Amino acid sequence: MTKTINLTLKVWRQKGPHVKGKLETYHANNISTDMSFLEMIDVVNEQLTLDGKDPIAFDHDCREGICGSCGAVVNGRPHGPEKGTTLCQLHMRHFSDGDTVVVEPWRSRAFPIIRDLAVDRGVLDKIIQAGGYISVNAGGAQDANAIPIPQEVADKAMDAAACIGCGACVAACPNASAMLFVSAKVSQLALLPQGKPEAARRAIAMLCSADKAGFGNCSNERECEAECPKEISITHIARLNREFFKASFGSSVQ
Ligand code: SF4
Ligand code: FES
């Protein structure tokens, strides 16, 4: 039998980027524990709409943990309390009847609030535009098949490529650093032969773009790794630093 729970929600409401926001209290009643967190907000929004009030604005798209659109800080944890889980994949069975749940947007100077829980993460796209691609001629599919890549290297590149660009690493970091995101994007290309010719230029361009966007520096707090829904490892930050130093000094540091 489906279990239902009642929750008290304290949700950040803010009408626009330059308006003062505040936490408002709502009651989410008869919430099925089979629902996702976003479905629970849908239920609350339905009631708000029926009452003639503004629904809570939040970002979402795939609701399958693959697009990186969703995200909010739930009881102080980006994407909520479950490890390796996006907000859209967080199920209400992880909450108890009578819980009070505080829901806030990502907090970072680089992510201005658009409305309520929706923030502008466009700067992450700018970092990708700065260098997160391969522009050399990598040939066709048959050429790729002809380049032997050790399984261990391919696996590491695929692990880095799992980054969905959600920005939770920034929200988790006390410095609002985007280093885990940048390092995942640099690693996924730098590890593979097709990405190596542009690795130096890419590392410098993407880090400069992140600096310009207002993200902070990495001081090895590891909060990003703990909260990343794709469990991206901070070893990629070490690789990014190596790529950056190689590029900066033009040396043969490995
Ligand atoms: S590194 Fe993880 S937390 Fe950061 S943007 Fe990528 S998936 Fe999201
Ligand atoms: S809505 Fe796509 S990852 Fe959550």
Side-chain angles (χ1 to χ4, degrees):
M1 206 176 83
T2 304
K3 194 178 153 200
T4 60
I5 54 174
N6 298 325
L7 302 170
T8 301
L9 297 184
K10 291 187 183 293
V11 183
W12 187 260
R13 301 302 309 263
Q14 185 171 335
K15 283 187 188 298
H18 307 298
V19 185
K20 222 172 152 191
K22 62 173 184 191
L23 287 171
E24 298 227 350
T25 303
Y26 302 102
H27 295 286
N29 293 330
N30 296 319
I31 299 299
S32 161
T33 49
D34 292 336
M35 280 181 187
S36 71
F37 199 87
L38 298 190
E39 285 169 335
M40 182 275 292
I41 298 183
D42 288 339
V43 170
V44 174
N45 274 347
E46 221 166 293
Q47 192 54 52
L48 285 174
T49 310
L50 288 173
D51 295 344
K53 295 180 179 154
D54 284 340
I56 301 159
F58 62 97
D59 283 317
H60 61 106
D61 190 0
C62 71
R63 297 198 177 203
E64 292 180 346
I66 51 176
C67 75
S69 296
C70 67
V73 178
V74 177
N75 288 343
R77 305 274 309 270
H79 288 295
E82 282 301 296
K83 204 170 160 42
T85 308
T86 54
L87 196 63
C88 59
Q89 296 276 285
L90 175 66
H91 281 90
M92 297 313 294
R93 67 181 80 100
H94 300 297
F95 296 86
S96 304
D97 190 36
D99 274 357
T100 295
V101 182
V102 181
V103 194
E104 296 173 85
W106 287 170
R107 304 281 188 193
S108 161
R109 195 176 44 169
F111 294 159
I113 292 177
I114 299 169
R115 192 180 174 97
D116 302 334
L117 306 175
V119 299
D120 183 355
R121 284 167 284 182
V123 282
L124 297 184
D125 296 333
K126 288 209 173 100
I127 294 173
I128 296 294
Q129 283 162 9
Y133 51 82
I134 290 176
S135 59
V136 297
N137 185 353
Q142 70 279 20
D143 302 313
N145 288 338
I147 303 170
I149 297 169
Q151 188 65 45
E152 193 200 340
V153 174
D155 287 348
K156 277 188 191 154
M158 281 303 288
D159 287 347
C163 167
I164 53 175
C166 63
C169 44
V170 177
C173 177
N175 307 326
S177 170
M179 284 291 265
L180 194 64
F181 165 77
V182 177
S183 71
K185 299 303 175 192
V186 163
S187 274
Q188 78 180 63
L189 300 173
L191 279 161
L192 299 175
Q194 296 90 337
K196 285 194 190 295
E198 293 169 300
R201 187 194 59 75
R202 179 182 305 116
I204 289 184
M206 292 180 79
L207 272 179
C208 287
S209 176
D211 268 356
K212 212 167 128 198
F215 291 112
N217 285 324
C218 174
S219 49
N220 287 320
E221 309 296 329
R222 302 190 74 161
E223 304 284 344
C224 53
E225 184 183 59
E227 302 295 3
C228 171
K230 298 299 163 187
E231 303 185 295
I232 303 288
S233 161
I234 59 160
T235 57
H236 293 297
I237 297 181
R239 180 169 299 101
L240 168 63
N241 288 335
R242 282 201 299 277
E243 291 297 335
F244 182 76
F245 287 129
K246 267 197 280 184
S248 305
F249 301 118
S251 75
S252 57
V253 182
Q254 290 302 313

